[in-house]
Amino acid sequence: MSLVSEIDFGTPAVKSPETVSLTIDGQAVTVPEGTSIMRAAREAGIKVPKLCAYDMVQSFGSCRMCLVEIKGRPGTPASCTTPVAEGMEVTTQNQRLAKLRRNVMELYISDHPLDCLTCAANGNCELQDTAGEVGLREVRYGYAGANHLDQEKDASNPYFTFDPAKCIVCSRCVRACEEVQGTFALTIDGRGFASHVAAGMDEDFLQSECVSCGACVQACPTATLIEKSVIEMGQPEHGVVTTCAYCGVGCSFKAEMRGEEVVRMVPSKDGKANHGHSCVKGRFAWGYANHKDRILKPMVRAKVTDPWREVSWEEAIAHTASEFRRIQAKYGKDSVGGITSSRCTDEETYLVQKLVRGVFGNNNTDTCARVCHSPTGYGLSKTFGTSAGTQDFDSVADADVVMVIGANPTDAHPVFASHMKKRLRAGAKLIVVDPRRTDLVRSAHVEAQYHLPLRPGTNVAVLNALAHVIVGEGLVRDDFVRERCDTEAFADWVAFIKRPENSPEAVAKHSGVPAATIRAAARLYGGAGNGAIYYGLGVTEHSQGTTAVMAMANLAMATGNLGRRGVGVNPLRGQNNVQGSCDMGSFPHELPGYRHISDEKVRALFEHDWGVSLEPEPGLRINNMLDAAVDGSFKGIYIEGEDILQSDPDTAHVAAGLAAMECVVVQDLFLNETAVYAHVFLPGSTFLEKDGTFINAERRIGMVRKAMRPKNGYADWEITQLIARAMGKAWSYTHPSQIMDEIARLTPTFAGVSFERLEREGSMQWPVNDKAPTGTPIMHVGGFVRGKGMFLVTEYVATDEKTGPRFPLLLTTGRILSQYNVGAQTRRTGNVVWHEEDRLEIHPHDAEQRGVRDGDWVRLASRSGETTLRARVTERVAPGVVYTTFHHPETQANVVTTDYSDWATNCPEYKVTAVQVGLSNGPTEWQTRYEAQAERSRRVAEAVPAAE
Ligand code: SF4
Ligand code: SF4
Ligand code: SF4
Ligand code: FES
């Protein structure tokens, strides 16, 4: 697609049921009441010159470029700040207005460097364009007087520069930072001639509280704020609209290209999940696609201690196929399996589970959702009838009370967090349930009414206590329960929840949250017009993860907070396509669309379509595969885009399982940690190199489009197809759209989905079928998918992971904004300036007891293992709790996490580990070994041709 900028309407769209009719330059126009004249004109195709207006932020009216005449009104009002009125007659162009605009432009240009030809924004500069539009021919004031031309450039941010010499002080950046991002990092400092844009306390961008979302860069009409990549590479010449490959928000972007090189990523205003916004990862952290560490040629080796041997694709695929056949012949059909990737597309994930079921002939398929949101799937399907989140992201704009439980959206789901914070600034109330004082608890212009800093592992107890208050204080929505829910189950639940052990006073003792705070929070949520719950892995990654999901569902049903906008129970999914990988049948017990493998009719459907017979028994989960490997019955695995050695709990056990296998095939971009145990390495492709779809946390199916040819030669779906063909199946897909057609044919919730429709609609939220031809933004409207909503008794059972004299502290883990998951991508980008290493957060009291000071190296030990990392002494964590991230393989927090897991789904209990912390004398033994191994891997990476 040629590079056509999205239209900037000057001011945001207004939602109003009332309309207003007027004429602009003689043209009749009808728009919603409250629309600015500027926007009404642009919607009618009339462009009014402008500089300070921008349709992502409210108008400011400072530049005076957009003056218009209105019949019967004196003067020349600014069209960006003047709302339309019935019968208004507006003139946007005449000699008088042109002269006024030229005069204004002259003043701007007299204090602007005239280096247009060598400026990085040349050809894409609104100042330049507007000067042309108003017919500027001379600058009468000259450059002799005081000016700003020798101001110093700030290049501290890794991705963009700030050149104050080019600034026209339009404040678009300041408003974007406030209104779009909600960080408030920028201000206009000083007055009159001295007024200037200041980051933080007038420091450089890197030192300030800027989170590098890039909203200001996108807003800037000049080259003042501009991407370093544009300065280096020049202006892009074509664009490809695609979906971010990082988190579950699923932001839509235009990859702006020169040939096959990305120049920059610009968030799409048409993107229904992000509405033109992004975070630092999606906008800037795409450089990993070209990183020299990327492996582009397949490699094999007989033993994991042998050096890698680079081979042709033919040899690698033939070797893989013959190894799997050999293993199955020797150890049985069930001795091999596969792991699908939540980073790959739906079509690729679908093919991996199809390979396992239809070619390997068993159901030994699993996915990383096992270790994050499997309790969501189970808990929500038991209570509501489907495992999906209930709302679209936009729904939060109608919430009156938002309860965030075990989630840190400003770090892990930043664009949704910005959206949520906008609603909170507009008056919605906030309850945060989290052991840590996350940014949401208190940030610029946002403050939680209640923070419930519960002890890790006590979610269920606290949720039950909230429900206890709601039931005890008459806050149950009886009408909703009577009409929409199973009333017998409700009565059982009420009897349970009223029990004294569920009272806030009883729960306060083990959760550490004062009873009064629990009561107040329950009253706030229970009394809300619209109460919305958003939750994350701080809920699911527990031995009672599924119970906690059910407890939230109970709360929402009891208070009638389901089935409309502004309410719901919403999982914030981690990886970009974790929703899709679950939808596509990655779990061992479910075919695509969450249909149980034991269902004969469903199986018959797939058997007929695929021309195979399917096993009716569920296969092995990841941890069962590893157990079986250690026991000697599981011998081969195909792992697509997943680094289980780093991301799964109890690293020593994962390593033992992998080491016991005879053929480990890793398909990835980089020689990841799991590849240490691999016999075959198949280079994978990035999201920029293929077509397909991702599904975000709101069930939105978004298009991924190929912006360049795969540097490794094949998209991942093609590699899986090559393996299937080498194993004797005549798969013959020539494009992922054919795979989606097959998914739609076999999966009722996707029946109306096709690439052609997605091209037309932009994106759609499943279910998309005859009943919901344009998709389903809100679930359970008028009735639950399962019929009646099912209340379930959610007894609190304390985890077996207990603190004691040996391990007196509780470790919980999480993510940070600049890094993503195990860091394989983000560690290979400029994002490392913000997070070079994982650190252990420890409360000052616990630190002092151990003689630990900020920055000291400490040893973190549990009954599973130990690691060494540096300490950060902070009150963000409560006494008795420590916290770290898991982005760096040098520290691998999962060496410490245990093998405890959720009772229903085996989701590991990452969030609760009893640990001890003490000063360290140096790296642990495994860290020393790791460094040596990493050095070997680096040498391999250097030995193979680097990506251009
Ligand atoms: S990059 Fe984002 S956070 Fe930083 S100053 Fe710009 S808008 Fe604000
Ligand atoms: S940096 Fe750009 S957006 Fe901000 S005030 Fe200056 S010209 Fe306007
Ligand atoms: S919020 Fe998530 S999807 Fe959006 S740009 Fe950031 S990482 Fe990508
Ligand atoms: S665009 Fe209207 S005053 Fe600047």
Side-chain angles (χ1 to χ4, degrees):
M1 138 197 309
S2 66
L3 193 64
V4 182
S5 299
E6 287 174 318
I7 292 176
D8 176 0
F9 291 93
T11 61
V14 173
K15 280 190 194 141
S16 169
E18 308 300 328
T19 57
V20 167
S21 296
L22 67 159
T23 62
I24 303 177
D25 294 343
Q27 195 173 319
V29 181
T30 299
V31 288
E33 191 176 18
T35 302
S36 70
I37 293 175
M38 174 179 279
R39 185 169 183 115
R42 196 68 186 88
E43 285 183 5
I46 299 166
K47 199 171 165 200
V48 182
K50 66 178 188 62
L51 285 174
C52 70
Y54 168 54
D55 64 7
M56 297 275 289
V57 295
Q58 295 302 322
S59 54
F60 189 56
S62 71
C63 76
R64 315 304 294 166
M65 190 59 65
C66 67
L67 308 178
V68 291
E69 288 179 356
I70 302 172
K71 192 173 172 190
R73 288 201 196 178
T76 49
S79 62
C80 64
T81 49
T82 309
V84 292
E86 190 63 36
M88 201 179 234
E89 291 177 34
V90 180
T91 301
T92 72
Q93 304 286 353
N94 63 25
Q95 289 301 319
R96 177 180 172 226
L97 292 169
K99 191 165 173 218
L100 286 171
R101 289 174 186 151
R102 267 198 302 275
N103 286 347
V104 174
M105 183 54 85
E106 256 187 284
L107 287 169
Y108 276 118
I109 297 300
S110 68
D111 192 6
H112 195 84
L114 290 184
D115 61 356
C116 281
L117 284 183
T118 53
C119 177
N122 189 16
N124 187 15
C125 170
E126 286 184 45
L127 186 67
Q128 195 181 55
D129 293 348
T130 312
E133 278 166 30
V134 302
L136 184 75
R137 295 291 173 265
E138 57 172 346
V139 177
R140 286 167 294 168
Y141 311 113
Y143 296 92
N147 58 45
H148 299 86
L149 302 182
D150 56 359
Q151 306 254 315
E152 212 178 305
K153 210 185 217 184
D154 173 3
S156 60
N157 185 286
Y159 298 118
F160 59 83
T161 60
F162 172 66
D163 183 357
K166 294 189 167 161
C167 181
I168 59 171
V169 201
C170 65
S171 92
R172 279 163 60 158
C173 55
V174 178
R175 285 173 285 148
C177 191
E178 290 175 5
E179 296 175 33
V180 180
Q181 164 59 21
T183 292
F184 294 79
L186 302 178
T187 44
I188 301 286
D189 221 7
R191 284 169 177 269
F193 180 78
S195 60
H196 65 282
V197 172
M201 307 294 286
D202 222 348
E203 55 213 326
D204 65 38
F205 270 74
L206 194 60
Q207 300 306 316
S208 75
E209 56 272 58
C210 164
V211 293
S212 207
C213 71
C216 56
V217 180
Q218 190 173 336
C220 185
T222 66
T224 312
L225 283 160
I226 193 165
E227 296 91 346
K228 287 182 175 173
S229 55
V230 174
I231 297 175
E232 279 156 24
M233 300 167 74
Q235 286 291 328
E237 40 83 11
H238 74 278
V240 179
V241 177
T242 189
T243 303
C244 179
Y246 279 118
C247 86
V249 177
C251 295
S252 175
F253 279 91
K254 190 189 281 177
E256 295 196 348
M257 315 285 298
R258 288 182 75 84
E260 289 196 289
E261 284 187 304
V262 178
V263 176
R264 66 177 167 194
M265 298 289 278
V266 179
S268 166
K269 285 197 278 189
D270 290 336
K272 292 176 189 157
N274 58 319
H275 304 292
H277 190 35
S278 74
C279 79
V280 59
K281 294 189 283 286
R283 191 190 296 259
F284 294 123
W286 38 266
Y288 68 86
N290 299 324
H291 198 277
K292 66 175 178 45
D293 287 357
R294 232 185 113 179
I295 305 291
L296 299 175
K297 296 271 168 61
M299 300 187 295
V300 299
R301 56 187 176 182
K303 296 198 297 294
V304 296
T305 46
D306 290 346
W308 284 109
R309 187 167 60 84
E310 209 173 280
V311 297
S312 67
W313 271 106
E314 291 72 25
E315 184 178 340
I317 297 292
H319 179 75
T320 301
S322 78
E323 275 297 275
F324 284 137
R325 282 283 179 243
R326 175 187 70 76
I327 289 169
Q328 287 191 301
K330 187 166 171 192
Y331 301 101
K333 198 168 68 169
D334 295 336
S335 58
V336 298
I339 295 180
T340 72
S341 173
S342 291
R343 283 184 263 161
C344 286
T345 63
D346 293 316
E347 295 72 18
E348 289 168 339
T349 304
Y350 175 86
L351 284 197
V352 172
Q353 63 85 36
K354 180 173 175 176
L355 178 83
V356 171
R357 298 189 205 278
V359 182
F360 293 175
N362 61 47
N363 291 309
N364 295 335
T365 168
D366 209 352
T367 184
C368 72
R370 166 76 46 224
V371 299
C372 65
H373 267 290
S374 49
T376 290
Y378 193 82
L380 294 187
S381 53
K382 289 286 169 211
T383 46
F384 300 157
T386 180
S387 61
T390 61
Q391 312 296 117
D392 61 358
F393 289 141
D394 286 355
S395 158
V396 77
D398 291 309
D400 300 310
V401 172
V402 176
M403 179 141 67
V404 178
I405 311 179
N408 187 6
T410 48
D411 279 68
H413 301 88
V415 166
F416 173 68
S418 292
H419 200 42
M420 178 194 282
K421 288 205 292 188
K422 199 173 196 168
R423 176 66 197 131
L424 296 171
R425 289 197 303 276
K429 303 280 186 286
L430 173 67
I431 301 165
V432 175
V433 184
D434 201 292
R436 276 176 87 227
R437 219 180 144 72
T438 56
D439 285 344
L440 262 190
V441 174
R442 190 162 190 206
S443 58
H445 303 278
V446 168
E447 184 160 14
Q449 269 61 38
Y450 302 107
H451 173 212
L452 281 55
L454 76 185
R455 215 171 138 69
T458 59
N459 284 325
V460 172
V462 170
L463 288 163
N464 285 345
L466 291 169
H468 182 94
V469 178
I470 282 164
V471 169
E473 299 194 6
L475 294 169
V476 169
R477 277 276 309 273
D478 293 321
D479 52 342
F480 184 91
V481 173
R482 214 173 28 249
E483 284 159 28
R484 302 276 309 264
C485 304
D486 183 314
T487 46
E488 256 177 59
F490 174 69
D492 291 347
W493 176 74
V494 167
F496 156 75
I497 214 75
K498 279 179 158 174
R499 291 193 331 218
E501 70 263 29
N502 293 323
S503 71
E505 289 67 26
V507 167
K509 289 191 192 108
H510 40 271
S511 69
V513 185
T517 312
I518 297 177
R519 283 196 181 275
R523 286 175 195 139
L524 182 60
Y525 173 74
N530 284 337
I533 295 175
Y534 292 88
Y535 71 95
L537 305 182
V539 167
T540 54
E541 290 176 343
H542 288 270
S543 59
Q544 279 206 291
T546 294
T547 319
V549 172
M550 292 169 172
M552 290 185 299
N554 291 340
L555 261 188
M557 286 188 288
T559 51
N561 277 314
L562 287 158
R564 60 180 191 280
R565 292 179 60 78
V567 297
V569 180
N570 302 285
L572 293 171
R573 301 251 178 185
Q575 299 202 61
N576 55 320
N577 200 31
V578 69
Q579 178 72 53
S581 75
C582 297
D583 299 342
M584 293 300 116
S586 295
F587 288 131
H589 64 293
E590 282 170 344
L591 284 158
Y594 304 98
R595 288 160 300 161
H596 206 276
I597 190 76
S598 61
D599 185 324
E600 213 168 301
K601 271 201 201 132
V602 176
R603 242 183 16 257
L605 195 68
F606 283 86
E607 285 174 336
H608 177 72
D609 200 277
W610 294 354
V612 295
S613 73
L614 296 174
E615 284 297 315
E617 292 297 320
L620 300 174
R621 297 170 174 180
I622 295 177
N623 45 333
N624 303 137
M625 293 186 216
L626 293 165
D627 289 345
V630 172
D631 291 348
S633 60
F634 189 86
K635 293 289 184 181
I637 193 163
Y638 172 47
I639 305 173
E640 183 190 66
E642 187 63 30
D643 190 0
I644 59 169
L645 191 76
Q646 213 192 149
S647 64
D648 283 34
D650 199 353
T651 309
H653 179 63
V654 180
L658 289 168
M661 295 185 207
E662 292 183 8
C663 181
V664 173
V665 180
V666 168
Q667 183 170 314
D668 214 309
L669 301 176
F670 304 103
L671 265 182
N672 59 20
E673 303 311 308
T674 306
V676 168
Y677 294 94
H679 304 85
V680 179
F681 186 88
L682 303 175
S685 52
T686 70
F687 77 112
L688 294 163
E689 297 162 4
K690 56 197 174 192
D691 288 319
T693 55
F694 291 151
I695 302 176
N696 76 355
E698 46 166 12
R699 297 169 277 104
R700 186 178 298 288
I701 311 162
M703 293 291 288
V704 177
R705 293 186 182 86
K706 189 170 168 179
M708 59 182 75
R709 287 166 297 171
K711 288 179 189 297
N712 56 327
Y714 291 109
D716 293 81
W717 64 269
E718 293 176 292
I719 300 168
T720 308
Q721 170 157 280
L722 287 171
I723 297 172
R725 289 174 70 89
M727 293 184 77
K729 292 285 182 251
W731 292 8
S732 55
Y733 307 104
T734 55
H735 190 264
S737 59
Q738 296 160 347
I739 307 171
M740 180 51 88
D741 290 343
E742 181 174 317
I743 295 165
R745 190 163 72 228
L746 295 169
T747 315
T749 42
F750 284 73
V753 181
S754 66
F755 276 37
E756 193 220 323
R757 282 208 64 198
L758 286 167
E759 287 288 355
R760 232 178 24 241
E761 310 271 344
S763 64
M764 291 188 287
Q765 288 170 271
W766 66 257
V768 186
N769 47 30
D770 287 346
K771 279 197 213 147
T774 53
T776 312
I778 311 285
M779 300 289 282
H780 316 299
V781 177
F784 286 98
V785 169
R786 73 176 298 286
K788 295 284 185 190
M790 176 60 72
F791 281 86
L792 291 168
V793 168
T794 53
E795 200 144 349
Y796 168 61
V797 180
T799 169
D800 287 338
E801 180 70 0
K802 305 266 193 271
T803 52
R806 229 177 118 212
F807 301 116
L809 303 171
L810 279 182
L811 169 74
T812 187
T813 59
R815 300 175 189 203
I816 200 158
L817 170 68
S818 56
Q819 296 292 331
Y820 174 70
N821 211 356
V822 295
Q825 292 140 285
T826 43
R827 280 186 284 106
R828 292 179 169 97
T829 69
N831 281 24
V832 286
V833 301
W834 291 287
H835 190 74
E836 282 176 294
E837 58 182 353
D838 294 320
R839 288 222 182 181
L840 185 79
E841 289 188 2
I842 182 166
H843 189 272
H845 172 75
D846 296 321
E848 196 187 345
Q849 277 189 335
R850 292 163 175 78
V852 170
R853 286 161 310 170
D854 198 57
D856 279 349
W857 285 95
V858 291
R859 184 160 292 218
L860 172 72
S862 75
R863 66 181 169 81
S864 290
E866 57 183 34
T867 185
T868 299
L869 70 176
R870 283 202 289 167
R872 176 175 293 129
V873 179
T874 170
E875 290 187 356
R876 277 168 78 97
V877 285
V881 176
V882 290
Y883 165 89
T884 188
T885 47
F886 48 83
H887 301 305
H888 287 269
E890 297 83 359
T891 40
Q892 286 194 34
N894 288 327
V895 167
V896 180
T897 52
T898 69
D899 54 359
Y900 287 135
S901 63
D902 176 48
W903 60 270
T905 64
N906 273 148
C907 180
E909 190 166 48
Y910 287 123
K911 302 296 181 189
V912 195
T913 308
V915 293
Q916 179 57 294
V917 175
L919 283 168
S920 149
N921 315 316
T924 59
E925 194 197 324
W926 76 260
Q927 284 173 303
T928 311
R929 264 200 330 268
Y930 170 79
E931 264 312 312
Q933 172 64 40
E935 184 50 39
R936 277 201 297 279
S937 294
R938 269 194 289 276
R939 284 204 298 272
V940 173
E942 276 161 21
V944 298
E948 284 305 314

